[in-house]
Amino acid sequence: QVQLVESGGGLVQAGGSLRLSCAASGSIFRINAMGWYRQAPGKQRELVATITRRNSTNYYQDSIKGRFTISRDNARNTVYLQMNSLKPEDTAVYYCNADVIRAALTTPNTYWGQGTQVTVSS
């Protein structure tokens, strides 16, 4: 079994910052790509950012480029999302996911966290 637990969400004023963390635990051999998604009320879940295991190719949604930074600590099986210059439109539940290989020579499966609420007031 693999669990992903997010933390760091909360209420912040526009222009403020938050740092989200997502720690994976359980039966893990290796984690490949990790990412952050978000879902605002009444909207579909959307991809925010992704990061490869070697941090060689990262993806950022256009609306958050220059404001958010994704990073990871492979030793801790943790991915982070540093969010600066937050805007009210960033308000959403933020979810992390990870492509986890549970044993050698097996294919990865994708796991999701339970989500953490980020609310940005104007």
Side-chain angles (χ1 to χ4, degrees), residues 8-20 83 86-88 91-92 116-122:
L11 173 64
V12 65
Q13 288 188 334
S17 298
L18 285 173
R19 188 192 193 208
L20 305 183
M83 305 186 295
L86 282 161
K87 304 176 181 180
T91 295
T116 185
Q117 176 70 46
V118 171
T119 303
V120 184
S121 63
S122 58

Side-chain angles (χ1 to χ4, degrees), residues 35-49:
W36 288 96
Y37 289 70
R38 67 185 181 186
Q39 187 167 18
K43 296 187 177 181
Q44 290 187 335
R45 189 174 299 189
E46 61 178 5
L47 175 62
V48 175

Side-chain angles (χ1 to χ4, degrees), residues 62-114:
D62 286 345
S63 69
I64 58 91
K65 284 182 180 178
R67 300 188 297 122
F68 292 9
T69 302
I70 189 170
S71 62
R72 64 189 286 171
D73 182 338
N74 290 331
R76 290 182 168 83
N77 289 331
T78 299
V79 62
Y80 305 96
L81 187 67
Q82 178 66 44
M83 305 186 295
N84 299 327
S85 302
L86 282 161
K87 304 176 181 180
E89 50 265 42
D90 294 318
T91 295
V93 177
Y94 284 71
Y95 300 88
C96 68
N97 78 349
D99 291 336
V100 178
I101 298 173
R102 296 184 62 185
L105 303 179
T106 62
T107 56
N109 290 303
T110 300
Y111 294 87
W112 290 85
Q114 81 288 352

Side-chain angles (χ1 to χ4, degrees), residues 16-54:
S17 298
L18 285 173
R19 188 192 193 208
L20 305 183
S21 299
C22 172
S25 63
S27 179
I28 298 172
F29 175 74
R30 186 176 70 240
I31 300 177
N32 289 343
M34 303 182 82
W36 288 96
Y37 289 70
R38 67 185 181 186
Q39 187 167 18
K43 296 187 177 181
Q44 290 187 335
R45 189 174 299 189
E46 61 178 5
L47 175 62
V48 175
T50 61
I51 185 169
T52 61
R53 177 172 178 80
R54 296 182 178 182

